[in-house]
Amino acid sequence: MRKQYFLQVGMTCLAVLALGAGTAFAAAAAAAAGANGVDESARSKAAVIAVDQHWLEAELDGDTAWLNEMLLPEYRSVDADGAVHAKATIVAHAAKNRGNDEARRKVEAWLKANPSGKSVTIRGNTAIISFYDLAKGADKDVRSSDVFVYVDGRWHGLYSQHSKVSAG
């Protein structure tokens, strides 16, 4: 999306689906609230989904300022093969997408071919959004999960874990 979200074409594109509450992050969150009607600073499932979608858009558009604010310094993304990617890797990858819609086309095609449901659990200051195969359901399939922590009035990405997409 992980991430929700996207370091590789295919499953990782969904995963890459990615700090502090600086003014750039607040302004971007306010703009996103206007665009999708959801207050990304709310402590709600809808806000977690909105932040995760904003994350995907930021990666695809190369919005590194927003990503730097939203991702915690210790953020890690673990691919299906076990490879670990730090925040800096995610931000650098996103920068390559600025002004180029190739990654967007690949991610959109992958998402169309592999539609996912979203499940959000919030406990205290922690939220987990998981993406699952619609045919299997959230209790039997997890393709990817992003962990968020609510800090300084905003959701921030802490960790992402991605699985291989299995056939039928």
Side-chain angles (χ1 to χ4, degrees):
M1 266 151 103
R2 327 116 345 327
K3 201 159 67 192
Q4 250 156 284
Y5 298 116
F6 301 91
L7 294 173
Q8 304 168 348
V9 175
M11 180 55 204
T12 307
C13 286
L14 177 63
V16 171
L17 265 171
L19 175 71
T23 55
F25 183 54
N36 64 20
V38 176
D39 177 4
E40 291 183 5
S41 67
R43 294 176 67 136
S44 68
K45 291 180 180 184
V48 172
I49 291 169
V51 170
D52 202 82
Q53 182 62 36
H54 194 163
W55 182 354
L56 172 60
E57 295 298 324
E59 285 200 44
L60 295 177
D61 293 339
D63 188 349
T64 56
W66 189 87
L67 289 169
N68 268 315
E69 292 295 329
M70 189 277 298
L71 294 172
L72 289 166
E74 56 273 88
Y75 173 80
R76 297 292 179 268
S77 177
V78 181
D79 285 346
D81 63 2
V84 178
H85 305 280
K87 173 183 173 176
T89 303
I90 304 301
V91 173
H93 184 265
K96 293 177 183 177
N97 292 332
R98 194 175 301 127
N100 179 355
D101 70 345
E102 181 181 351
R104 178 175 298 282
R105 287 193 316 269
K106 288 178 181 179
V107 168
E108 288 174 353
W110 191 92
L111 291 171
K112 185 176 180 181
N114 300 279
S116 294
K118 299 173 187 172
S119 171
V120 178
T121 300
I122 299 175
R123 176 79 177 209
N125 291 329
T126 305
I128 301 171
I129 183 169
S130 295
F131 300 87
Y132 60 90
D133 183 319
L134 293 170
K136 295 177 183 177
D139 293 335
K140 300 203 184 255
D141 180 82
V142 175
R143 293 176 170 177
S144 176
S145 292
D146 294 322
V147 178
F148 291 92
V149 180
Y150 198 80
V151 178
D152 296 331
R154 303 272 180 230
W155 290 107
H156 298 276
L158 176 63
Y159 181 83
S160 299
Q161 180 78 42
H162 314 293
S163 302
K164 292 187 187 293
V165 174
S166 59

